[in-house]
Amino acid sequence: MNTKRWIALVVAAAILGISLVINSAFAIFQSTLGTGVDDLLATAQTDVSEEVIEDGDFNKRIAVLNVEGTIQDTGEASALLGQTGYNHGLFMEQLEQVKNDDTVKAVMLKVNSPGGGVVESAEIHDKITEIQEETKKPFYVSMGATAASGGYYISAPADKIFVNRETMTGSLGVIMQTVNYGKLAEKYGVEFVTIKSGPFKDIGNPTREMTADEQAILQEMLNDSYESFVDVIAEGRDMSEEQVKKLADGRIMNGRQAVDAKLADDFGFEEDVLAALRTDFNLEDAQVFEYGASQGLGSLFSMKLNSLFGKDLESQMITKLLTENSSPRMMYLYGEK
C-alpha cells in the first residue's frame, strides 16, 4: 500500500474518531444539563434561513426550494462528517415553513436529483399534496440536469413541470440491489456462519445466492411500490394507469421526450419558471427568496472538515464507505447512489 493510501486511511479513521468523540460529548452534556441541551442542538442543526433573491412585496412572496442530490435520510453522522448534499430533515422543515407562512403565495421547486429512497420520496410527495390541498399554494417545478425516478416522483404533483431540452428524466420504476461476495470470501478462506429464527430472516444475505422464494417476496414488495409510483403519476399528470405504464418501464428520456409524453408541460430555465409563476398568479411585484440552512453546529463542523481535507477524492470515498448504510433497500433511483 502506497503512502497516499496510508494517509487516506489515517484521515478516515481520524474523522470517525472525531465524530465518536463529539457524539460522546453531546451525550455527556445532555445527561448533565438536561433537556435544554436538546433544544439548543435542535435549534443549531435545523434552523432554516432565508436569502432574498429578488426584492419585492414581503406580503406576496415566492419561495424557492432545492432538491439537490440523492433523496435519502442519511442521519446525523453524515452531517457531522461533512456531507453537503441533500438533507431530508431540513427539506421537510422547509416544506412545513411553506405551509405555515401566509406570506408565501407560490413555490418554485428546483429538482436536480436521480431519485432516492421510496419512503423519503413518498414523504415529500405527500407533504406537497397536503400543502396544495390545505393552502391552495401552487407549485411549479424547474428540472435541472437530472430529475429522474424519485426526482420525478416528487415533481409529479406540481401544477406545472418545466424542463430543459437536455434534462434527463423518466426512469419511472423501482429498483433494489445487493452484492453477492460469497465466492470472493470463499477464495480467501472466509466462512460466514448465520443463525436465524426463520428461513427468510437473512433474506438478501450477501454471502450466498438468493433463492427463488426470496426473490418472489422482494418482487412483490417492489411491485407494490411500483403501483404506488404509477398512481402518483396518473393523479399528478391527469393520465390513465394504462398511459403511465407504457412509459413506466424504467426508460430514461430527455426534456423534449418528456414534454411529448406529457410528463412535463413546457421548456424553460429557472428565470422562465419564476416569470410564469408571476404571470399566472398575479405575483409580478412579489419578493423571491430561497431557503437554506443556518450555520449551526453541524454545518460549522462540516466546514472545518472540508477546509482540513479539501477535495481529496480518496479520502471522500473512504469516508462515504465508512458512513453509508449498505443494507439493500427499495429505491426510486436512476444510476448509482
Side-chain angles (χ1 to χ4, degrees):
M1 186 178 293
N2 59 35
T3 303
K4 184 177 180 182
R5 289 183 180 275
W6 276 115
I7 293 174
L9 286 172
V10 171
V11 167
I15 294 173
L16 187 59
I18 291 170
S19 68
L20 291 174
V21 170
I22 290 178
N23 287 336
S24 299
F26 285 172
I28 294 172
F29 289 154
Q30 287 174 316
S31 62
T32 305
L33 301 178
T35 57
V37 174
D38 291 334
D39 297 336
L40 175 62
L41 293 177
T43 300
Q45 292 181 0
T46 62
D47 274 356
V48 176
S49 66
E50 296 180 2
E51 179 182 354
V52 175
I53 299 174
E54 297 180 15
D55 288 326
D57 188 345
F58 181 82
N59 294 311
K60 292 194 304 182
R61 302 201 294 164
I62 298 173
V64 178
L65 279 71
N66 286 280
V67 174
E68 179 82 24
T70 304
I71 303 168
Q72 57 184 342
D73 191 352
T74 55
E76 294 181 3
S78 293
L80 284 172
L81 289 168
Q83 177 172 324
T84 58
Y86 175 76
N87 183 322
H88 187 64
L90 179 63
F91 186 74
M92 294 306 299
E93 186 174 347
Q94 292 172 357
L95 287 176
E96 187 66 24
Q97 296 250 110
V98 165
K99 177 183 175 182
N100 296 326
D101 190 339
D102 292 336
T103 68
V104 175
K105 304 302 180 184
V107 179
M108 179 175 77
L109 177 61
K110 294 163 56 179
V111 180
N112 188 27
S113 169
V118 297
V119 174
E120 295 91 337
S121 299
E123 189 174 9
I124 295 173
H125 168 273
D126 292 350
K127 191 65 179 181
I128 290 175
T129 56
E130 175 188 314
I131 295 170
Q132 290 172 315
E133 292 170 0
E134 295 186 14
T135 70
K136 309 304 178 185
K137 296 177 181 180
F139 277 71
Y140 277 15
V141 166
S142 174
M143 289 186 170
T146 303
S149 202
Y152 189 86
Y153 189 107
I154 66 172
S155 303
D159 297 87
K160 282 188 179 180
I161 297 174
F162 291 78
V163 294
N164 302 317
R165 292 184 182 276
E166 304 305 323
T167 293
M168 185 176 292
T169 185
S171 189
L172 311 178
V174 197
I175 189 171
M176 175 186 284
Q177 290 181 319
T178 185
V179 176
N180 183 350
Y181 50 76
K183 292 182 179 179
L184 178 65
E186 183 179 349
K187 177 181 177 180
Y188 289 96
V190 179
E191 181 180 355
F192 294 88
V193 178
T194 301
I195 302 172
K196 54 187 179 181
S197 58
F200 301 116
K201 183 59 180 173
D202 68 334
I203 191 169
N205 187 329
T207 66
R208 61 173 177 81
E209 291 187 8
M210 189 175 295
T211 68
D213 288 340
E214 289 172 333
Q215 289 187 15
I217 290 172
L218 295 178
Q219 187 64 56
E220 184 177 359
M221 293 170 55
L222 262 70
N223 291 345
D224 285 345
S225 294
Y226 172 78
E227 293 296 334
S228 297
F229 202 157
V230 170
D231 291 342
V232 161
I233 299 171
E235 181 179 357
R237 300 302 300 171
D238 194 23
M239 300 168 69
S240 69
E241 182 179 307
E242 182 181 4
Q243 289 175 313
V244 174
K245 286 189 173 180
K246 287 181 179 178
L247 303 169
D249 56 5
R251 74 182 70 180
I252 59 171
M253 57 187 75
N254 62 25
R256 180 193 60 76
Q257 293 170 318
V259 171
D260 290 344
K262 302 190 185 306
L263 292 177
D265 297 287
D266 205 350
F267 303 107
F269 296 99
E270 294 173 18
E271 57 268 27
D272 303 311
V273 179
L274 281 175
L277 273 173
R278 290 184 184 278
T279 301
D280 295 348
F281 298 97
N282 192 27
L283 296 171
E284 284 81 1
D285 58 344
Q287 181 189 91
V288 180
F289 74 97
E290 187 169 12
Y291 281 124
S294 64
Q295 294 297 310
L297 295 178
S299 58
L300 287 175
F301 185 63
S302 170
M303 289 171 59
K304 289 295 184 182
L305 286 177
N306 286 333
S307 64
L308 178 61
F309 301 123
K311 298 295 184 179
D312 184 84
L313 180 60
E314 192 165 11
S315 298
Q316 293 179 16
M317 291 177 66
I318 294 175
T319 300
K320 184 177 181 181
L321 181 64
L322 287 171
T323 58
E324 268 197 353
N325 181 1
S326 59
S327 300
R329 57 183 299 203
M330 289 187 294
M331 305 286 282
Y332 295 137
L333 182 68
Y334 169 70
E336 298 182 0
K337 289 173 64 176

Coordinates of all heavy atoms in Angstrom, one line a residue, residues 141-149 151-152 155-156 160-172 233 237 239 243-244 247-248 251-268:
V141 N -42.4 23.3 -10.9 CA -41.1 22.6 -10.8 C -40.2 23.0 -11.9 O -40.6 23.1 -13.1 CB -41.3 21.0 -10.9 CG1 -39.9 20.3 -11.1 CG2 -41.9 20.5 -9.6
S142 N -38.9 23.3 -11.6 CA -37.9 23.6 -12.5 C -36.9 22.4 -12.5 O -36.1 22.3 -11.5 CB -37.2 24.9 -12.2 OG -36.1 25.1 -13.1
M143 N -36.9 21.6 -13.5 CA -36.0 20.4 -13.5 C -34.6 20.8 -14.0 O -34.5 21.6 -15.0 CB -36.5 19.3 -14.4 CG -37.7 18.6 -13.7 SD -38.3 17.2 -14.7 CE -39.5 16.4 -13.6
G144 N -33.6 20.4 -13.4 CA -32.2 20.7 -13.8 C -31.6 19.6 -14.7 O -32.4 19.1 -15.6
A145 N -30.4 19.3 -14.5 CA -29.7 18.3 -15.4 C -30.4 17.0 -15.3 O -30.5 16.3 -16.3 CB -28.3 18.3 -15.1
T146 N -30.8 16.6 -14.1 CA -31.4 15.3 -13.9 C -32.5 15.4 -12.9 O -32.4 16.0 -11.8 CB -30.3 14.3 -13.3 OG1 -29.2 14.2 -14.2 CG2 -30.9 12.9 -13.1
A147 N -33.6 14.8 -13.3 CA -34.8 14.7 -12.4 C -35.5 13.4 -12.7 O -36.6 13.4 -13.3 CB -35.7 15.9 -12.5
A148 N -34.9 12.3 -12.3 CA -35.3 11.0 -12.7 C -35.8 10.2 -11.5 O -35.5 10.5 -10.3 CB -34.2 10.2 -13.4
S149 N -36.7 9.2 -11.8 CA -37.2 8.3 -10.8 C -37.8 9.0 -9.6 O -38.8 9.7 -9.8 CB -36.0 7.3 -10.3 OG -36.6 6.1 -9.8
G151 N -36.8 11.7 -8.3 CA -36.8 13.1 -8.7 C -38.1 13.5 -9.4 O -38.6 14.6 -9.3
Y152 N -38.6 12.5 -10.2 CA -39.8 12.8 -10.9 C -41.0 12.5 -10.0 O -42.0 13.2 -10.0 CB -40.0 11.9 -12.2 CG -41.2 12.3 -13.0 CD1 -41.1 13.3 -13.9 CD2 -42.4 11.8 -12.7 CE1 -42.2 13.8 -14.6 CE2 -43.6 12.2 -13.4 CZ -43.4 13.2 -14.4 OH -44.5 13.7 -15.0
S155 N -41.9 15.5 -8.2 CA -42.3 16.5 -9.1 C -43.8 16.3 -9.6 O -44.4 17.3 -10.0 CB -41.4 16.6 -10.3 OG -40.1 16.8 -9.9
A156 N -44.2 15.1 -9.6 CA -45.5 14.8 -10.2 C -46.7 15.6 -9.8 O -47.6 15.9 -10.6 CB -45.8 13.3 -10.1
K160 N -47.3 22.7 -12.6 CA -46.6 22.7 -13.9 C -45.2 22.2 -13.7 O -44.5 22.5 -12.7 CB -46.6 24.1 -14.5 CG -47.9 24.5 -15.2 CD -47.7 25.8 -16.0 CE -49.0 26.1 -16.7 NZ -48.9 27.4 -17.5
I161 N -44.7 21.5 -14.7 CA -43.3 21.0 -14.7 C -42.6 21.6 -15.9 O -43.1 21.4 -17.0 CB -43.2 19.4 -14.7 CG1 -43.9 18.9 -13.5 CG2 -41.8 19.0 -14.9 CD1 -44.0 17.3 -13.5
F162 N -41.4 22.2 -15.6 CA -40.6 22.8 -16.7 C -39.3 22.0 -16.8 O -38.7 21.7 -15.8 CB -40.3 24.3 -16.4 CG -41.5 25.2 -16.5 CD1 -42.5 25.2 -15.5 CD2 -41.7 25.9 -17.6 CE1 -43.6 26.0 -15.6 CE2 -42.9 26.8 -17.7 CZ -43.8 26.8 -16.7
V163 N -38.9 21.8 -18.0 CA -37.6 21.0 -18.2 C -36.8 21.8 -19.2 O -37.2 22.7 -19.9 CB -37.9 19.6 -18.8 CG1 -38.6 18.7 -17.9 CG2 -38.7 19.7 -20.2
N164 N -35.5 21.5 -19.2 CA -34.6 21.9 -20.3 C -34.7 20.8 -21.3 O -35.0 19.6 -21.0 CB -33.2 22.0 -19.8 CG -33.1 23.1 -18.7 OD1 -33.7 24.1 -18.7 ND2 -32.3 22.7 -17.7
R165 N -34.3 21.1 -22.6 CA -34.4 20.1 -23.6 C -33.4 18.9 -23.3 O -33.6 17.8 -23.8 CB -34.1 20.7 -25.0 CG -35.2 21.7 -25.4 CD -34.9 22.2 -26.8 NE -35.9 23.2 -27.2 CZ -37.1 22.8 -27.7 NH1 -37.4 21.6 -28.0 NH2 -38.0 23.8 -28.0
E166 N -32.3 19.2 -22.6 CA -31.4 18.2 -22.3 C -31.5 17.6 -20.9 O -30.7 16.8 -20.5 CB -30.0 18.7 -22.4 CG -29.6 19.3 -23.8 CD -29.9 18.4 -24.9 OE1 -29.6 17.2 -24.7 OE2 -30.4 18.8 -26.0
T167 N -32.6 17.9 -20.2 CA -32.8 17.3 -18.9 C -33.0 15.8 -19.0 O -33.7 15.3 -19.9 CB -34.1 17.9 -18.2 OG1 -33.9 19.3 -17.9 CG2 -34.5 17.2 -16.9
M168 N -32.3 15.1 -18.1 CA -32.5 13.6 -18.1 C -33.6 13.3 -17.0 O -33.4 13.6 -15.9 CB -31.2 12.9 -17.7 CG -31.3 11.4 -17.8 SD -29.7 10.6 -17.5 CE -28.8 11.1 -19.0
T169 N -34.7 12.7 -17.5 CA -35.8 12.4 -16.6 C -36.3 11.1 -16.9 O -35.7 10.3 -17.6 CB -36.9 13.5 -16.7 OG1 -37.9 13.3 -15.7 CG2 -37.5 13.6 -18.1
G170 N -37.5 10.7 -16.4 CA -38.1 9.4 -16.6 C -37.5 8.4 -15.6 O -37.5 8.7 -14.4
S171 N -37.0 7.3 -16.0 CA -36.6 6.2 -15.2 C -37.7 5.9 -14.1 O -37.4 5.7 -12.9 CB -35.3 6.5 -14.5 OG -34.7 5.4 -13.8
L172 N -38.9 5.8 -14.6 CA -40.0 5.6 -13.7 C -40.1 4.1 -13.3 O -40.4 3.2 -14.1 CB -41.3 6.0 -14.4 CG -41.3 7.4 -15.1 CD1 -42.6 7.7 -15.7 CD2 -41.0 8.5 -14.0
I233 N -48.2 9.3 -10.6 CA -48.0 10.0 -11.9 C -49.4 10.2 -12.5 O -49.7 11.2 -13.0 CB -47.1 9.1 -12.8 CG1 -45.7 9.0 -12.2 CG2 -47.0 9.8 -14.2 CD1 -44.8 8.1 -12.9
R237 N -50.5 13.9 -13.2 CA -50.4 14.3 -14.6 C -51.7 14.1 -15.3 O -51.8 14.3 -16.5 CB -49.3 13.6 -15.3 CG -47.9 13.8 -14.7 CD -47.5 15.2 -14.7 NE -47.5 15.8 -16.1 CZ -47.3 17.1 -16.4 NH1 -47.2 17.9 -15.4 NH2 -47.3 17.5 -17.6
M239 N -53.4 11.4 -16.1 CA -53.2 10.4 -17.1 C -53.9 9.1 -16.6 O -54.1 8.9 -15.4 CB -51.8 10.1 -17.4 CG -51.0 11.3 -17.9 SD -49.2 11.1 -17.9 CE -49.0 9.8 -19.2
Q243 N -51.9 4.6 -19.7 CA -50.9 5.6 -20.3 C -49.6 5.6 -19.5 O -48.5 5.7 -20.1 CB -51.6 7.0 -20.4 CG -52.7 7.1 -21.3 CD -53.4 8.4 -21.3 OE1 -53.7 8.9 -20.2 NE2 -53.6 9.1 -22.4
V244 N -49.7 5.6 -18.2 CA -48.5 5.7 -17.4 C -47.6 4.5 -17.6 O -46.4 4.6 -17.7 CB -48.9 6.0 -15.9 CG1 -47.6 5.9 -15.1 CG2 -49.6 7.3 -15.7
L247 N -45.1 4.2 -20.2 CA -43.8 4.9 -20.0 C -43.0 4.5 -18.8 O -41.8 4.7 -18.8 CB -44.2 6.4 -19.8 CG -45.0 7.1 -20.9 CD1 -45.5 8.4 -20.4 CD2 -44.2 7.2 -22.2
A248 N -43.7 3.8 -17.8 CA -43.0 3.5 -16.6 C -42.4 2.1 -16.7 O -42.7 1.2 -15.9 CB -44.0 3.6 -15.4
R251 N -37.4 3.3 -18.6 CA -36.6 4.1 -19.6 C -36.3 5.5 -19.1 O -37.1 6.1 -18.4 CB -37.4 4.1 -20.9 CG -38.6 5.1 -20.9 CD -39.4 5.1 -22.1 NE -40.2 3.8 -22.3 CZ -40.9 3.6 -23.3 NH1 -41.1 4.5 -24.3 NH2 -41.6 2.4 -23.4
I252 N -35.2 6.0 -19.6 CA -34.9 7.4 -19.4 C -35.3 8.2 -20.6 O -35.4 7.6 -21.7 CB -33.5 7.7 -19.0 CG1 -32.5 7.2 -20.1 CG2 -33.1 7.1 -17.6 CD1 -31.1 7.5 -19.9
M253 N -35.5 9.5 -20.5 CA -35.8 10.4 -21.6 C -35.3 11.7 -21.4 O -35.0 12.1 -20.3 CB -37.3 10.4 -21.9 CG -38.1 10.9 -20.7 SD -39.9 10.7 -20.9 CE -40.1 8.9 -20.7
N254 N -35.1 12.5 -22.5 CA -34.7 13.9 -22.4 C -35.9 14.8 -22.2 O -37.0 14.3 -22.2 CB -33.8 14.3 -23.5 CG -34.5 14.2 -24.9 OD1 -35.7 14.3 -25.0 ND2 -33.7 14.1 -25.9
G255 N -35.6 16.1 -22.1 CA -36.7 17.0 -21.9 C -37.7 17.1 -23.0 O -38.9 17.1 -22.7
R256 N -37.3 17.0 -24.2 CA -38.2 17.0 -25.3 C -39.1 15.8 -25.3 O -40.3 16.0 -25.5 CB -37.4 17.1 -26.6 CG -38.3 17.1 -27.9 CD -37.5 16.8 -29.2 NE -36.8 15.5 -29.1 CZ -37.5 14.3 -29.4 NH1 -38.8 14.3 -29.6 NH2 -36.8 13.2 -29.3
Q257 N -38.5 14.7 -25.0 CA -39.4 13.4 -25.0 C -40.4 13.5 -23.8 O -41.5 13.0 -24.0 CB -38.5 12.2 -24.8 CG -37.6 11.9 -26.1 CD -36.5 10.9 -25.8 OE1 -35.9 10.9 -24.7 NE2 -36.3 10.0 -26.8
A258 N -39.9 14.1 -22.7 CA -40.8 14.2 -21.6 C -42.0 15.1 -21.9 O -43.2 14.8 -21.5 CB -40.1 14.8 -20.4
V259 N -41.8 16.2 -22.6 CA -42.9 17.1 -23.0 C -43.8 16.4 -24.0 O -45.1 16.4 -23.8 CB -42.4 18.4 -23.6 CG1 -43.5 19.2 -24.2 CG2 -41.6 19.2 -22.5
D260 N -43.2 15.7 -24.9 CA -44.1 14.9 -25.9 C -44.9 13.9 -25.2 O -46.0 13.6 -25.6 CB -43.2 14.3 -26.9 CG -42.5 15.3 -27.9 OD1 -43.0 16.4 -27.9 OD2 -41.5 14.9 -28.6
A261 N -44.4 13.3 -24.2 CA -45.1 12.2 -23.4 C -46.0 12.8 -22.4 O -46.7 12.0 -21.7 CB -44.1 11.3 -22.8
K262 N -46.1 14.1 -22.3 CA -46.9 14.8 -21.3 C -46.5 14.5 -19.9 O -47.3 14.7 -18.9 CB -48.4 14.4 -21.5 CG -48.9 14.7 -22.9 CD -50.4 14.5 -23.0 CE -50.9 14.7 -24.4 NZ -50.5 16.0 -25.0
L263 N -45.3 14.2 -19.7 CA -44.7 14.1 -18.3 C -44.2 15.5 -17.9 O -43.9 15.7 -16.7 CB -43.6 13.1 -18.3 CG -44.0 11.6 -18.4 CD1 -42.8 10.7 -18.4 CD2 -45.0 11.2 -17.4
A264 N -44.1 16.4 -18.8 CA -43.7 17.8 -18.5 C -44.5 18.7 -19.3 O -45.1 18.3 -20.3 CB -42.2 18.0 -18.7
D265 N -44.6 20.0 -18.9 CA -45.5 20.9 -19.5 C -44.9 21.8 -20.5 O -45.5 22.2 -21.6 CB -46.2 21.8 -18.5 CG -47.1 20.9 -17.5 OD1 -48.2 20.5 -18.0 OD2 -46.7 20.7 -16.4
D266 N -43.6 22.3 -20.2 CA -43.0 23.3 -21.1 C -41.5 23.3 -20.9 O -41.0 22.7 -19.9 CB -43.6 24.6 -20.8 CG -43.5 25.6 -22.0 OD1 -42.8 25.3 -23.0 OD2 -44.1 26.7 -21.9
F267 N -40.8 24.0 -21.8 CA -39.4 24.2 -21.6 C -39.1 25.5 -20.9 O -39.8 26.5 -21.1 CB -38.7 24.2 -23.0 CG -39.0 23.0 -23.8 CD1 -39.9 23.0 -24.9 CD2 -38.4 21.8 -23.5 CE1 -40.1 21.8 -25.7 CE2 -38.6 20.6 -24.2 CZ -39.5 20.7 -25.3
G268 N -38.0 25.5 -20.2 CA -37.7 26.8 -19.5 C -36.6 26.6 -18.5 O -36.4 25.5 -17.9

